[in-house]
Amino acid sequence: MNKLFRADLHCHSYFSDGSDSPQTLIEKAKKIGLCGLSITDHDTVEAYLNLGSIDFPLITGVEFSSFFDGEPVHILGYAIDPWNKGVQELCEWHKTRRENRNRSMIFALNELGFSLSYDELLSGSEKKNQTIGRPHIAQLLIKHGVVDTIQQAFERYLGEDKPGYVAGAVCTPDETISVIHGAGGAAVLAHPHLIKSKRKLRKILQAPFDGMEGYYARFSKEKERPLLLMAKERNLLITGGSDYHGETKPFNQLGSSWVDEATFMRLKEWSARS
Ligand code: AMP
Ligand code: FE
Ligand code: FE
Ligand code: ZN
């Protein structure tokens, strides 16, 4: 086993709210000495559909949004077949959900006295099947001079208890996991520390997850420990990644969290497991 092996299993391309192309992400990963990568865009697998042949160890991935008891739960799907019908249909469902929700959020913000337009929100996204969400609305608020930073946009308008927030249509963790399993993949609970209470986290983990993200961005050991314990108790595969978004979240650096070779290979060969 190569002790120097590091693979980042959580990052975003410009097909969702990251700023880099998939090719650039792979180049950056090589440059900093990573040995593997998974690009996990929000609600789309577009990064994998036209990638061509890549001379770098890659595991297919996606980060699906779901809801449990009114709270967002992000689920990473690894080693899925991106062309799988169920995956394609779920991505399409999310696209429609987001179109309706984005229109509602623009409406809610305009009720507060702004003059944003839905067309303007889409104008920067010529990329086919790009997932548009709150980070893009935050950028629009910056463009209109309403706020100075993305963080400020979330704190004042777009956070879950703020006036510009709309939940929109919801899909459960169970439904999402079932699609990931149907596409031969592993379902992993992303950034479990963001779930508001340990009690709720335990309830969420009753769904048939295969793994949990135990190493995240620049997590402290203190934060890590109880989560790693919960994963071990449930026999869940422990994964890790940076949640790199490029310029849109400059504080999360690619490779800041990672998995070793054994975990990477286990996921890479997921569909062949006995
Ligand atoms: P959405 O899927 O449209 O609800 O947007 C959620 C995304 O917004 C997350 O995946 C993050 O990338 C980003 N996000 C959530 N909260 C914040 C925050 N406080 N500051 C910056 N970005 C955030
Ligand atoms: Fe994001
Ligand atoms: Fe997430
Ligand atoms: Zn993410």
Side-chain angles (χ1 to χ4, degrees), residues 168-241:
V170 296
C171 171
T172 66
D174 278 292
E175 286 165 333
T176 305
I177 293 170
S178 148
V179 169
I180 293 169
H181 286 165
V188 172
L189 177 63
H191 38 66
H193 64 290
L194 294 182
I195 304 295
K196 293 203 175 73
S197 77
K198 281 270 158 8
R199 191 166 162 265
K200 200 179 244 186
L201 177 56
R202 278 193 283 272
K203 275 197 192 168
I204 290 168
L205 284 174
Q206 285 173 7
F209 283 99
D210 304 293
M212 186 166 112
E213 196 169 49
Y215 306 107
Y216 180 81
R218 286 173 299 144
F219 239 22
S220 66
K221 287 268 169 269
E222 237 163 88
K223 248 186 168 173
E224 241 168 52
R225 211 173 296 123
L227 294 170
L228 295 179
L229 195 67
M230 280 180 96
K232 279 178 192 150
E233 278 168 3
R234 289 164 178 78
N235 212 10
L236 293 170
L237 184 69
I238 296 169
T239 72

Side-chain angles (χ1 to χ4, degrees), residues 7 14 53 67 77 91 140 142 208 211 229 237-238 250 252 265 267 270:
Y14 65 18
S53 72
F67 271 84
C91 292
L140 194 59
I142 295 173
L229 195 67
L237 184 69
I238 296 169
N252 272 16
M265 292 318 291
L267 280 172
W270 191 258

Side-chain angles (χ1 to χ4, degrees), residues 5 9 12 18 43 62-63 68 80 99 107 157 160-161 167 236 254 257 263:
F5 186 104
L9 294 183
H12 296 269
D43 303 328
V62 63
E63 183 176 13
F68 180 84
I80 47 164
E99 277 166 13
F107 184 83
Y157 302 108
E160 278 137 53
D161 50 352
L236 293 170
L254 192 67
S257 258
T263 308

Side-chain angles (χ1 to χ4, degrees), residues 39-45 60-64 75-77 80 91:
I39 301 167
T40 51
D41 278 313
H42 298 288
D43 303 328
T44 180
V45 289
T60 55
V62 63
E63 183 176 13
F64 279 126
I75 303 180
L76 295 156
I80 47 164
C91 292

